[in-house]
């Protein structure tokens, strides 16, 4: 872990007994004799906030480790923290606006827009210098994500989750207006990880001129109250 990135432990320790001796030996043997080739390249790290589609109260932190496949496509594995014992909670696929436009209408309904996450400063790339983080966010402007969570391990600010994965996978959605994400959730993350969301918003303001209307911005609009629109974030 980059020493400049604050540790963010998982909010949930899974059910089960501690590793036995033979499992520890097996693990060490695998480290020496096997390869984790498919995991190579998942080294772009960003942290954001998610909510379940059509369940506005079910919100959580998501730590993304992504592999850039090409100019139009990223694959990400999602965890509930950034330490060695973080729990795997889901996956996200990210496509460019160009690739999104090739999808049939019924498929596009699964993909959430990203412009608010970027322009609000809510999405962060811990450890990157500001200029590199902004370049990454510029690349992600007008993109879309398809996210499934397989495990709700709870929230770092107190809400307890499940000790093992339960139920169906949940389609997740993005926040698209100020006031949608729980303030406690945001502040707890920002304080623990030393993130300046307001500063990031100011630093990225010039990206507004790149923003185009996106599908899905209004998908959950009526499920929140007291929200405020953000410049550059509009429904297509």
């Amino acid at each position: 872990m980059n020493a400049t990135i604050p540790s963010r432990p998982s909010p949930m320790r899974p059910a089960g007994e501690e590793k036995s001796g033979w499992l520890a030996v097996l693990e060490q043997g695998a480290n020496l004799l096997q390869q984790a080739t498919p995991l190579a390249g998942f080294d772009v790290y960003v942290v954001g906030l998610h909510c379940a589609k059509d369940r506005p109260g079910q919100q959580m932190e998501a730590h993304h480790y992504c592999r850039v496949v090409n100019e139009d496509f990223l694959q990400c594995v999602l965890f509930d923290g950034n330490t060695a014992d973080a729990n795997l909670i889901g996956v996200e696929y990210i496509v460019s606006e160009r690739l999104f436009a090739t999808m049939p209408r019924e498929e596009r309904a699964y993909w959430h827009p990203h412009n608010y996450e970027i322009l609000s400063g809510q999405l962060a790339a811990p450890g990157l210098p500001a200029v590199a983080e902004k370049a990454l966010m510029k690349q992600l402007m007008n993109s879309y994500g398809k996210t499934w969570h397989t495990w709700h391990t709870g929230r770092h600010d107190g809400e307890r989750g499940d000790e093992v994965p339960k139920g169906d996978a949940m389609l997740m959605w993005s926040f698209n207006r100020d006031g949608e994400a729980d303030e406690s959730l945001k502040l707890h993350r920002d304080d623990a990880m030393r993130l300046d969301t307001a500063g990031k918003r100011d630093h990225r303001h010039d990206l507004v001129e790149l923003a185009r209307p996106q599908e899905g911005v209004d998908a959950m609009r009526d499920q929140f109250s007291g929200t405020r629109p953000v410049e550059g974030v509009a429904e297509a």
Side-chain angles (χ1 to χ4, degrees):
M1 177 70 72
N2 183 333
T4 66
I5 302 176
S7 294
R8 189 61 160 157
S10 303
M12 170 62 66
R13 183 173 180 175
E17 298 295 326
E18 294 294 331
K19 293 179 189 177
S20 63
W22 78 268
L23 273 177
V25 171
L26 176 63
E27 189 175 46
Q28 290 304 311
N31 288 339
L32 292 171
L33 300 174
Q34 295 182 307
Q35 293 181 322
T37 306
L39 297 177
F42 282 85
D43 45 19
V44 176
Y45 170 42
V46 296
V47 58
L49 306 174
H50 289 168
C51 70
K53 179 76 179 290
D54 296 326
R55 282 183 273 181
Q58 189 155 336
Q59 305 182 11
M60 67 286 293
E61 214 171 285
H63 297 256
H64 307 54
Y65 290 85
C66 305
R67 180 167 71 89
V68 180
V69 178
N70 55 46
E71 285 290 311
D72 295 290
F73 187 43
L74 286 78
Q75 303 180 82
C76 307
V77 286
L78 308 181
F79 295 86
D80 60 359
N82 62 14
T83 61
D85 62 353
N87 296 304
L88 176 66
I89 60 171
V91 296
E92 178 166 1
Y93 302 100
I94 297 174
V95 297
S96 66
E97 179 184 39
R98 186 197 66 78
L99 205 54
F100 177 79
T102 68
M103 298 177 180
R105 181 167 297 277
E106 58 270 21
E107 173 59 29
R108 297 203 299 265
Y110 291 96
W111 296 77
H112 61 263
H114 281 151
N115 282 353
Y116 174 82
E117 294 183 311
I118 296 164
L119 296 175
S120 67
Q122 190 181 96
L123 187 67
L128 283 186
V131 64
E133 182 186 58
K134 187 173 181 179
L136 172 62
M137 298 302 157
K138 182 178 179 180
Q139 183 71 18
L140 293 175
M141 282 295 298
N142 303 304
S143 67
Y144 291 83
K146 185 179 187 179
T147 303
W148 294 96
H149 279 203
T150 54
W151 188 3
H152 183 54
T153 58
R155 288 171 41 159
H156 292 80
D157 62 345
E159 179 189 292
R160 186 169 176 81
D162 299 321
E163 292 184 332
V164 294
K166 293 181 179 178
D168 295 332
M170 297 178 291
L171 180 66
M172 309 307 289
W173 212 249
S174 53
F175 297 110
N176 289 286
R177 289 168 182 78
D178 285 346
E180 292 184 348
D182 190 301
E183 197 65 24
S184 172
L185 184 69
K186 292 191 302 180
L187 291 176
H188 198 283
R189 182 201 68 161
D190 288 0
D191 287 347
M193 300 197 69
R194 301 195 294 274
L195 296 176
D196 180 9
T197 295
K200 292 181 188 299
R201 179 183 293 218
D202 291 341
H203 185 57
R204 299 173 189 174
H205 187 262
D206 60 327
L207 298 180
V208 168
E209 65 187 26
L210 303 177
R212 289 182 286 274
Q214 291 194 284
E215 294 184 27
V217 168
D218 288 348
M220 293 182 63
R221 179 186 62 183
D222 296 334
Q223 299 178 50
F224 297 97
S225 61
T227 62
R228 301 171 302 283
V230 168
E231 184 183 5
V233 182
E235 176 70 31

